[in-house]
Amino acid sequence: SAVISQKPSRDICQRGTSLTIQCQVDSQVTMMFWYRQQPGQSLTLIATANQGSEATYESGFVIDKFPISRPNLTFSTLTVSNMSPEDSSIYLCSVAAGDTQYFGPGTRLTVL
Amino acid sequence: GENVEQHPSTLSVQEGDSAVIKCTYSDSASNYFPWYKQELGKRPQLIIDIRSNVGEKKDQRIAVTLNKTAKHFSLHITETQPEDSAVYFCAVEMWQGAQKLVFGQGTRLTINP
């Protein structure tokens, strides 16, 4: 399986600011995804990061709040914009190998 | 869209006993059903998966069964050990080939020594 890393691993931010999370994979992958996991909850898909085009967002998530970049087949970023305490969550990237998805270690975000 | 229900939300079993977690889904076109294990503070790890052309799959102490007609699938863990304690999530591929997953609500499994 692919080796996936995320930076930062955790951060504490002030409301109204933005944070960019990086996801790096050790091999080229076609499909990359971003998920949110709120405290004690399940995983919810935010968007599919498409290489060379705009991300595809799921219902309830918008580009202005969660802009995503995918400059190549090994890297993607997710920005959480204009943060509020409700954005406190773990953000995980994942990559697909066939049907199978593998997850990065996650970024634990706390917004004060 | 796809709706996935997972039960129970918590499960406590004695070490050595079996544990069963069940998920139901809504989209009959779904064809891929993975299970993930998430230990505290760690990333979800794939432990087993099944595709719709198979009714059962085993890997040592773990098995998954699929009933496509009834639209449910289950995770079975036998001879449970303390290290099996974790949160388990089922997932369903949104539609064939989409590679996008919808997750169940999770089951917190506790193995009592």
Side-chain angles (χ1 to χ4, degrees):
Chain A
S1 62
V3 176
I4 308 166
S5 60
Q6 283 185 236
K7 288 196 290 187
S9 58
R10 59 177 61 227
D11 207 342
I12 301 173
C13 301
Q14 297 297 319
R15 70 170 66 209
T17 63
S18 298
L19 176 72
T20 296
I21 302 167
Q22 299 178 5
C23 179
Q24 180 76 52
V25 189
D26 68 342
S27 58
Q28 293 187 338
V29 294
T30 304
M31 306 293 286
M32 291 182 75
F33 306 92
W34 286 98
Y35 288 83
R36 181 176 72 183
Q37 187 174 28
Q38 294 178 301
Q41 302 296 312
S42 185
L43 292 85
T44 302
L45 180 64
I46 297 171
T48 303
N50 301 310
Q51 196 268 329
S53 64
E54 275 195 4
T56 306
Y57 290 84
E58 298 303 313
S59 176
F61 298 96
V62 294
I63 188 171
D64 290 346
K65 176 67 175 177
F66 297 103
I68 288 170
S69 78
R70 178 89 193 271
N72 56 52
L73 292 175
T74 64
F75 185 79
S76 178
T77 67
L78 169 76
T79 299
V80 187
S81 303
N82 188 25
M83 289 184 285
S84 67
E86 292 71 36
D87 294 319
S88 297
S89 287
I90 298 172
Y91 292 87
L92 300 115
C93 67
S94 75
V95 304
D99 290 326
T100 306
Q101 282 193 32
Y102 300 97
F103 285 86
T107 296
R108 182 180 294 274
L109 170 62
T110 302
V111 183
L112 302 177
Chain B
E2 180 70 85
N3 184 44
V4 181
E5 297 287 333
Q6 183 173 343
H7 298 281
S9 56
T10 61
L11 180 59
S12 182
V13 302
Q14 288 299 120
E15 182 178 354
D17 289 349
S18 296
V20 181
I21 303 169
K22 182 177 178 178
C23 285
T24 60
Y25 61 98
S26 58
D27 188 353
S28 57
S30 297
N31 284 319
Y32 177 64
F33 310 91
W35 285 90
Y36 287 85
K37 174 184 180 182
Q38 188 175 33
E39 297 177 66
L40 188 63
K42 300 288 184 61
R43 74 186 80 189
Q45 296 271 16
L46 178 73
I47 56 171
I48 197 167
D49 58 10
I50 193 167
R51 289 172 175 78
S52 60
N53 59 344
V54 175
E56 183 176 5
K57 183 178 178 180
K58 288 184 180 179
D59 183 3
Q60 300 182 335
R61 296 186 297 108
I62 294 172
V64 55
T65 58
L66 171 65
N67 185 326
K68 277 221 77 176
T69 303
K71 290 187 283 189
H72 66 71
F73 58 111
S74 298
L75 177 70
H76 305 254
I77 306 174
T78 59
E79 301 173 18
T80 53
Q81 301 168 3
E83 52 265 35
D84 294 329
S85 294
V87 179
Y88 291 81
F89 293 99
C90 66
V92 179
E93 187 176 45
M94 279 187 182
W95 61 84
Q96 190 173 7
Q99 297 179 304
K100 298 198 289 186
L101 299 177
V102 177
F103 282 81
Q105 297 84 351
T107 297
R108 182 173 300 279
L109 175 62
T110 302
I111 308 302
N112 301 308

